[in-house]
Amino acid sequence: THKKIVKIIWELKYKNNIELRDILFSRIGPILKKHIDTHIKEIKNGIFLISVPKIKNDALKKRDFDHGKLLVQALLPYLLDHTSTVLEGYLIKHDISRQATQKKRTERIKNMKGAISPTNKLLVLKPTQHPLIIIDDVTTTGATRNEMIRVLKPYFSGDILFIALAH
């Protein structure tokens, strides 16, 4: 049910429930692997993975862990057939008003325009044809996904696959 999914995402995102993350990925990991293998057609030298960036100057607020990084790490075991590179610190998310407080889809999309920027690490990355997987916990409007793809597309001419645990 919807309430159970919300509870799972809350536990992962704010409580760092490792046991729950392991159970969740043991269930969805093989499905994600099949999906990735199907949608990323030509994997030559590996896959790049990235999560939605933390807000700039946000010292993880009340959390002492990076939720996005942990999602990427949980996905890695299901990519054992492929050499994978985790992109950490390549994007910055500027402080924006909370997406959850915005009622209209158009507000959310407008709010995300320009909210994600490349860091120097991305600016010096040579464009590649390797596939890129973006992972996030929840997607509602697709505004974050679209903004990340807009920023990353000049560096990745290969397939870009966006994975969200819930929609």
Side-chain angles (χ1 to χ4, degrees):
T1 67
H2 176 73
K3 286 183 180 184
K4 287 181 182 177
I5 293 170
V6 169
K7 175 74 172 159
I8 290 169
I9 298 297
W10 177 264
E11 285 287 320
L12 293 174
K13 191 168 189 167
Y14 296 105
K15 300 296 182 185
N16 194 21
N17 187 325
I18 296 167
E19 183 180 343
L20 184 57
R21 185 173 26 261
D22 290 346
I23 291 168
L24 178 66
F25 272 87
S26 71
R27 295 268 182 131
I28 67 169
I31 297 165
L32 289 175
K33 179 178 178 15
K34 185 177 179 182
H35 187 72
I36 290 164
D37 290 345
T38 300
H39 285 86
I40 297 181
K41 293 154 187 67
E42 290 186 32
I43 299 173
K44 296 176 181 163
N45 297 324
I47 298 172
F48 286 88
L49 294 112
I50 193 165
S51 65
V52 174
K54 298 180 303 230
I55 293 175
K56 183 179 181 180
N57 298 327
D58 179 5
L60 301 175
K61 292 191 179 179
K62 298 174 185 173
R63 295 176 263 172
D64 60 351
F65 59 93
D66 183 340
H67 170 61
K69 181 179 174 181
L70 294 172
L71 289 178
V72 168
Q73 289 172 348
L75 181 60
L76 281 173
Y78 301 96
L79 300 175
L80 289 177
D81 299 346
H82 314 292
T83 305
S84 304
T85 303
V86 177
L87 301 178
E88 209 176 307
Y90 282 70
L91 296 174
I92 298 251
K93 186 174 183 181
H94 304 284
D95 197 8
I96 56 174
S97 61
R98 291 220 5 105
Q99 293 270 2
T101 62
Q102 297 163 346
K103 305 289 185 229
K104 295 182 182 175
R105 182 178 190 276
T106 53
E107 285 181 68
R108 290 178 183 223
I109 292 169
K110 182 181 176 186
N111 191 45
M112 280 306 297
K113 293 278 185 199
I116 295 176
S117 300
T119 65
N120 288 337
K121 282 178 145 183
L122 183 61
L123 295 174
V124 298
L125 183 71
K126 293 180 182 166
T128 180
Q129 292 181 348
H130 297 295
L132 172 68
I133 298 172
I134 302 169
I135 189 164
D136 197 4
D137 56 356
V138 177
T139 185
T140 51
T141 63
T144 301
R145 176 199 64 219
N146 293 346
E147 188 64 12
M148 286 186 71
I149 290 172
R150 183 191 67 75
V151 172
L152 293 166
K153 190 69 176 163
Y155 303 92
F156 295 91
S157 59
D159 293 328
I160 297 178
L161 183 62
F162 182 85
I163 297 172
L165 300 181
H167 175 71

